[in-house]
Every structure is written in structure tokens, then in C-alpha cells.
Amino acid sequence: MMDDLIRKVESFCKKENLLDRQDTVIVAVSGGPDSIALLHILAALQDRWSLHLVAAYVNHGLRAAAFEEEVFVESQARAVGAEFYCRRIDAAAIAEKQGLSIETAGRNERYAFFSELAEKTGAVRIAVGHHEDDQAETVLMHLLRGGGVSGAGAMKAKNGLIIRPLLCVPRQDILTALNEVNLPWRVDESNESREYLRNRIRHDIMPLLKNINPQVTAALNRFASISRQENMYMENEAVKQLKLAERRNERGFYLDIPILTDLHEALQRRVVRLAVQEMTKDIYAPDFAAVERILGLCRATSGKQVRFKDLIVYRRGRGLCFTRGVARKATLFTTDREEVFIKGPGTYVRNNLILTVRLVKESDDELKENEFFIPRPSESQPLIWRCRRGGDVVFIRERYHKSLKKYFIEKKIPVDCRGKLPLLCKDNEVLWIFGDADWAAPLRLRKGVAVGAVTEGDIHA
């Protein structure tokens, strides 16, 4: 049985490209049957593949038996000619300090240790002992949490430095092989505790499912494989669509809402998730509810925001903007009383906005998105770049006037920024509103002898 297991694992390693000849491989060994089998299988492949094995054990400081296990794992490593390294931690104290579960804190510390060891030893692979039953349990955990196909894909055979050579074999085959060659292992009594979700799935749910389908482990592994392949395809499509929808500026980037909302909902969610991960350098992976909140901005009025720690997502015109730190309107909309007089062609600066004015022929109506016609300014009749005043009005589509206050209410411009919005005015008539393209669109003149263009590194710059 052990020889069959070795052949099966070697074939799987070739198929999934898990190993290369002369690799230095860190083997995560807890002392349990899975990791002991992994250590001895890789040891059996050592000569054929010219592998250099490094066994790594982490004592979590949770069980008295861990110190005996530490000695046991070292003896097993020495028996197959592997180097041995150990780290002792206080997982409970780390969990309390970081506000994590003991299980999560322990896992984080283990993988941090393995990564440090890889750098120290020059290892290019970190082998862990997950098998088919672990994979089936992981699939169920993700399904119970309401995850999508990315979660249903569960564990990859290869993920960065991490490799899982035993994902092709069930737990029972491992136990049978170990018994056949009289290899000892240790039992971690915490694996019997119903305190952990995985244990409840293993001891309570899986036996019930096997009564319905004796091949449920294989079925769930097949489901994971299909989900993983389909997820890979969808992720590639999402990357392509992100490139098509994104526009960049010095503060971050925004997604073109019409392009985004034209996609299938499944792709919309993935594109938004990729955008958040790109802005946060993969530190924050938004869950389903967070993604839905962001997509809700596409249907909201401009000025709405969604915040995630130091990431702010907000709508401006046709753009879904992603930026770090303070919201854009805090810098764009200021409370100062500065007035800039526009007296002719040229470039004018107010706070972080730049207004460029040029003269054109009246027949020249090919304007860019950030350009708009204005009356010709002069020394005697300058235009004024300022914030709101009492009595301001707007001229809607060159047909009728309306108070600026009423217009702001109709456009649902946030109350807290109405008095801070930069306006371009002729006396008390507002010619242009700086901020969102749709706020100013109804004010556009159909023709004129002068054109204004605003730039500030935003979506209509």
C-alpha cells in the first residue's frame, strides 16, 4: 500500500508541477499521521528527485504533549536524513493580543515561521499534509459561510511556495499505508474537540453525508476542482474587464460606471473586488456585503461614499472612484472665501483646480468632456470663480432660471458640500459647477466664443 501511495503522490506532483529536481523542500510536520506520511513519502522520492528536506515543527504552547511530540518529530526527521527546525510560541497569548481565534493565530504563526525558514534555507517549496478529506471539509466550510466559486475551489495543490502533495489521496489510504509499514504517529487530542468548526464538520456532518453518498469525499473534491477551474477563467475575465473599465489619476483610479454596469453581475463583483485589492495591496479582500455596498454606489447619486479603513470609494459623475486616505471632497470642496476673477484667455488656479480659458469660433462645438462654453470674459465684465452666495441662480438648458438652492436639492447634492462647491459665475448666474459632470450638464451652453476647461486629476479632467 505504501508503494502505491508513493507512486500516486509522485504522479500527482508531476501533473501539478509541485516539485523540481534538486529542490529544497520544507516539510511541515506536526507528528500526526498526515504529516508523518508526507515526510516519509518525500523521503522516498529524495534520491530520484535529488531533494533536500527540511522538517519544521511548531509547538503552540497549548498542550503538555507538544513537548514530547517535538522530540518525536525531530527523531522522525533525523531518521530520513532531513534537517530539523522547531519554533515554540504562545498561541493563546498571541490570539488575545491580536484579537484573533487561537486557531487563526496559530496558523498565521506557523506559516510565518515556514516563510522565514524558506528564506534561511533557500527552500523553494513548503509542503503541507492536506489530503482529500481535508479538501472536502474545506469545501463545506466555505459553502456554510455562503462563499462563491472562489471559496468552493478550496485549497490549491500549489499556491506560491505552498504545495499539497497529498491532495490526491484520502485519509484512510494514508492510515492504511502507515500501519502497513509500522510507522508511528501522534494523536492531537484537540482534533476531537467540537469547539472548532472543522472538527464538527469532520465528526458530525461528514458521516451523515456519507450515509447519503458513500463517495461524498470524492464528489466534493471533484466539485472543488470544477469550481477552481471556473474561478480561474472568471478571474482572468475580470482582470481584462478591470483594465477596460479603469481610469487612473494621481490619487488612485476610478471605474467607468457605464462600462462596469454593462457587465454581468458576476463580473461586476469580481471587478470591484480586484479594484479594492489593488488599492489596498491585497491587505483587504472585501466580502460579498462590502462588494454589494460598493456596487450600490453605481445606482446612487454623486457624493455618496463607502469607507473601508483607509480606503474610500465614492461616486463622481460616471466614475466609481477609489482613493486612499481622506475623501476627495475634503480637498476639492473648501470653505475659503477666495474669489478668482476671470478677465480673459489664460490659466487660473483656485485651490487644487486649474481653469484654462481659450477663445474659439462660434461654429467650433467639438468640446471634450471637461470643456464647456462660457461668455467671453473681459476686464470690464469678468467672470468670478467662487463659492455659493445668496441669490445665486442657474439657467437650465438655456430656457429658464431656477434658484441654485432648489437646483442643489433636485440634484441631491450633499448638504455638507453645497456651500463649498467651486462655481463659475457671471454676477449671480452660475455658469458651471465644479465637482461632478452630471451636476453641471444641464447648464451647458450650446455655443459660445470662449471655452473653459477644468483639470484637477479627476474623472472629467
Side-chain angles (χ1 to χ4, degrees), residues 10-46:
E10 183 174 21
S11 177
F12 183 71
C13 288
K14 290 177 180 178
K15 176 188 172 186
E16 299 292 335
N17 193 29
L18 303 188
L19 295 172
D20 286 320
R21 298 193 182 280
Q22 299 184 331
D23 276 351
T24 295
V25 181
I26 290 173
V27 188
V29 186
S30 66
D34 313 329
S35 62
I36 290 296
L38 176 64
L39 176 65
H40 284 270
I41 289 171
L42 291 179
L45 301 178
Q46 223 172 170

Side-chain angles (χ1 to χ4, degrees), residues 48 125 151 182 191 325 350 376 390 409 425 428 434:
R48 283 203 297 275
R125 301 283 187 268
N182 296 316
N191 287 336
R350 187 178 188 277
R376 181 169 182 170
I409 294 172
C425 307
N428 71 329
F434 297 87

Side-chain angles (χ1 to χ4, degrees), residues 353-367:
L353 292 172
I354 299 173
L355 175 67
T356 303
V357 176
R358 61 184 175 89
L359 300 181
V360 295
K361 297 178 181 179
E362 286 199 43
S363 59
D364 184 2
D365 58 358
E366 294 294 323
L367 301 183

Side-chain angles (χ1 to χ4, degrees), residues 90-268:
D90 186 341
I94 294 171
E96 183 177 359
K97 181 178 180 181
Q98 298 180 354
L100 302 172
S101 68
I102 293 177
E103 194 176 20
T104 299
R107 181 170 58 248
N108 291 346
E109 289 297 314
R110 283 197 304 276
Y111 281 97
F113 174 50
F114 299 155
S115 296
E116 291 172 21
L117 203 52
E119 187 172 347
K120 177 179 180 179
T121 61
V124 293
R125 301 283 187 268
I126 300 172
V128 293
H130 298 122
H131 46 66
E132 282 187 356
D133 292 71
D134 292 322
Q135 184 77 306
E137 294 160 7
T138 303
V139 170
L140 288 178
M141 290 173 71
H142 282 290
L143 291 178
L144 290 172
R145 291 167 180 161
V149 293
S150 59
M155 297 179 286
K156 298 177 181 178
K158 185 178 184 180
N159 187 12
L161 294 183
I162 305 296
I163 61 172
R164 297 181 170 91
L166 301 186
L167 271 188
C168 61
V169 294
R171 177 185 291 116
Q172 188 55 54
D173 285 3
I174 292 171
L175 295 175
T176 300
L178 291 178
N179 286 325
E180 180 186 83
V181 294
N182 296 316
L183 274 176
W185 69 82
R186 294 296 181 265
V187 175
D188 182 347
E189 62 274 14
S190 67
N191 287 336
E192 301 299 319
S193 171
R194 294 321 199 260
E195 179 182 350
Y196 305 113
L197 174 60
R198 181 177 291 276
N199 289 347
R200 295 199 297 274
I201 290 174
R202 177 178 301 164
H203 300 301
D204 300 330
I205 297 177
M206 285 299 293
L208 290 174
L209 293 178
K210 286 179 180 178
N211 287 334
I212 300 171
N213 178 6
Q215 303 301 316
V216 66
T217 299
L220 288 172
N221 273 263
R222 184 168 60 251
F223 175 67
S225 178
I226 294 170
S227 299
R228 199 160 48 248
Q229 292 165 359
E230 294 188 356
N231 180 64
M232 188 181 302
Y233 171 79
M234 290 289 286
E235 280 296 288
N236 290 338
E237 285 300 305
V239 169
K240 293 177 187 176
Q241 295 301 328
L242 176 62
K243 290 179 180 178
L244 292 174
E246 71 178 356
R247 308 287 185 270
R248 294 191 170 275
N249 56 44
E250 73 274 8
R251 295 179 180 275
F253 68 88
Y254 70 94
L255 300 178
D256 189 297
I257 289 176
I259 293 178
L260 178 64
T261 54
D262 195 44
L263 300 174
H264 189 282
E265 287 184 9
L267 273 176
Q268 290 180 34

